[in-house]
Amino acid sequence: MALNVYVTRSIPEPGLSILRRGCGTVEVNPRDAILTRAELLTAVAGRDGLLCMGQDRIDAELLDAAGERLRAVANYAVGYDNVDVSELTRRGIGFSNTPDVLTEATADLAWALLMACARRIVEADRFARSGRWTGWSPTQMLGFDVAGKVLGIAGAGRIGAAVARRAQGFEMPVLYFNRSARPELERTCGAARVPLDELLRRSDFVSIHLPLTADTRHLIGRRELALMKPTAVLVNTSRGPLVDEAALASALSDGTIAAAGLDVFEEEPRIHPALLELDNVVLLPHIGSATGETRSRMAEVAANCLVAMLRGECPPQCVNPEVFEHR
Ligand code: DGY
C-alpha cells in the first residue's frame, strides 16, 4: 500500500526528497505558519506517517483524529515535551526525535547569548545606531569579563556538555547540575557536579539545558533567582517554561541578577511584556538550531526516521523502540 505522510511545516529540501522517495504521497502544509489545532486535526486524518514540529501537540485527541492507519510520528526537534510518548507507545506508533545533529549549533547559540549579555552587545548596537553616541568613554557600556569566571550548566546532556567544552577556551571552571554524574565531562572539562542551589550561588554564568517535564517546570523561579549573584547572567536555550518569566523580569529590573539571554519563552511566540521593556535581557525568536546546515541535517534525520519506522524498522533516534520489538 502506498504510504501517505503529512509534514506540518515545510522543511529543508533534503528531508522532503527522502520522504518523496520513500512514500507514495507527501503533503506539506503550504503556509509558512504553525497550523491551528483545528487545521492540524483535519490534516492528519487518514495518514500513515506524520512529520511534526515542536509546536504541534501530539496527544490522544490528535491520534484519534489521525485514525487507525497512523504508524509513525517523527518530531523535527530534539525536545519532545509536545508529544505524549506513552500514548503513542500504547497505540503501537513509533516516535523519533532529532538528537545529536543540533547539539553544536545550539551550544553556539547559548554562547552567543552568554557573550552578548556579558558585553551588552545588543544594547550597544542599539546605542551605536541611535545617534546618541558622542565618542569613546572610559565608563560607557561596561560589561563583565568572561575568561576565568564560573560557568554553571543546569542539565549536562549533549548540549550542556557541548556548552561546557567551549568554556575550556575561556579557562572557566565548570559546575554542573544533573540527575546522574557525567564522569567524561568531569575528566575532560574538570567539571564538578553540585546541587542546583549551590550551582546558582557560585556561578557567574548559568546556562539551562534540561528537558521540560513536570519536574523542571519553573525550575528557576523567584527563590532560585535570589540565590544567584547580582552580577550573574542567566541563559536559556532549552524550553521557556523552565524559567518563571514574571519572576525573571522582576529579578532583572530590581538588580537581583545582572542580565539574561533567552531563546525560548513560556508561551511562544508571546514574550512577557515586562521583559520587552528591559535593556539587560537579550531576546531571540527560538533560533537555537537555526543554521542552514543544522536544519538540513534535522530534516534528513526526521525524514529517514519516518520512512524507516513506516517500514517497520527501528532507527537509532526512535524514542519508543519497544513498539518495534513485537512487530
Ligand atoms: C529542539 O530541537 O528541541 C528545538 O528547540 C527546536 O524545537
Side-chain angles (χ1 to χ4, degrees):
M1 189 167 39
L3 296 169
N4 181 331
V5 305
Y6 189 75
V7 184
T8 67
R9 257 340 244 283
S10 189
I11 58 172
E13 188 51 37
L16 293 177
S17 315
I18 292 166
L19 293 177
R20 286 193 209 101
R21 280 197 303 274
C23 309
T25 303
V26 179
E27 195 182 332
V28 183
N29 167 14
R31 284 188 293 119
D32 188 19
I34 301 168
L35 293 170
T36 64
R37 184 71 178 164
E39 288 169 337
L40 182 61
L41 295 179
T42 305
V44 296
R47 311 288 180 174
D48 299 291
L50 176 65
L51 195 152
C52 63
M53 307 294 121
Q55 291 71 28
D56 303 317
R57 187 159 40 84
I58 309 299
D59 56 8
E61 181 192 34
L62 180 130
L63 301 179
D64 287 343
E68 296 281 296
R69 281 177 60 157
L70 191 72
R71 308 308 307 146
V73 175
N75 206 33
Y76 186 70
V78 64
Y80 50 86
D81 47 280
N82 57 313
V83 177
D84 184 344
V85 180
S86 52
E87 186 60 29
L88 267 78
T89 307
R90 198 179 68 73
R91 298 183 190 218
I93 299 170
F95 173 67
S96 65
N97 67 340
T98 60
D100 298 316
V101 289
L102 48 66
T103 298
E104 304 303 332
T106 308
D108 287 347
L109 194 85
W111 265 90
L113 282 170
L114 186 159
M115 297 295 285
C117 290
R119 300 303 302 272
R120 303 171 65 178
I121 299 294
V122 177
E123 189 187 353
D125 176 271
R126 279 196 290 261
F127 180 66
R129 292 166 195 264
S130 71
R132 289 182 288 120
W133 186 36
T134 52
W136 191 87
S137 152
T139 53
Q140 201 166 65
M141 288 285 157
L142 302 185
F144 300 108
D145 285 345
V146 174
K149 295 285 182 68
V150 177
L151 175 64
I153 304 286
R158 299 176 188 84
I159 299 172
V163 170
R165 276 200 305 277
R166 283 157 174 72
Q168 302 316 290
F170 292 82
E171 299 180 350
M172 297 169 83
V174 176
L175 303 175
Y176 74 100
F177 162 70
N178 204 60
R179 208 166 35 182
S180 52
R182 290 276 184 263
E184 174 74 7
L185 194 63
E186 296 178 13
R187 201 175 48 75
T188 55
C189 300
R193 181 168 168 234
V194 293
L196 182 61
D197 285 3
E198 184 178 340
L199 179 142
L200 295 170
R201 277 196 198 95
R202 289 174 55 193
S203 298
D204 297 295
F205 299 94
V206 174
S207 192
I208 304 175
H209 302 285
L210 287 159
L212 174 61
T213 64
D215 291 341
T216 61
R217 185 173 294 273
H218 282 193
L219 181 84
I220 305 295
R222 185 187 303 275
R223 187 191 79 83
E224 290 73 24
L225 290 160
L227 296 175
M228 294 175 70
K229 301 180 186 183
T231 49
V233 170
L234 179 70
V235 170
N236 188 9
T237 53
S238 58
R239 286 292 182 262
L242 272 87
V243 177
D244 177 343
E245 265 171 27
L248 176 62
S250 303
L252 288 166
S253 58
D254 67 17
T256 301
I257 68 169
L262 306 175
D263 184 43
V264 287
F265 301 90
E266 283 198 61
E267 292 172 27
E268 295 177 13
R270 177 185 176 272
I271 298 178
H272 194 292
L275 291 174
L276 295 172
E277 301 300 317
L278 297 171
D279 272 334
N280 57 345
V281 60
V282 177
L283 307 169
L284 299 179
H286 201 146
I287 57 168
S289 61
T291 70
E293 300 96 319
T294 294
R295 288 282 165 86
S296 287
R297 283 196 296 268
M298 288 168 66
E300 286 171 354
V301 168
N304 277 324
C305 283
L306 192 64
V307 171
M309 291 190 292
L310 287 171
R311 288 184 183 143
E313 296 157 15
C314 180
Q317 299 83 358
C318 180
V319 175
N320 57 355
E322 59 271 38
V323 162
F324 296 91
E325 276 161 20
H326 309 296
R327 279 197 184 170

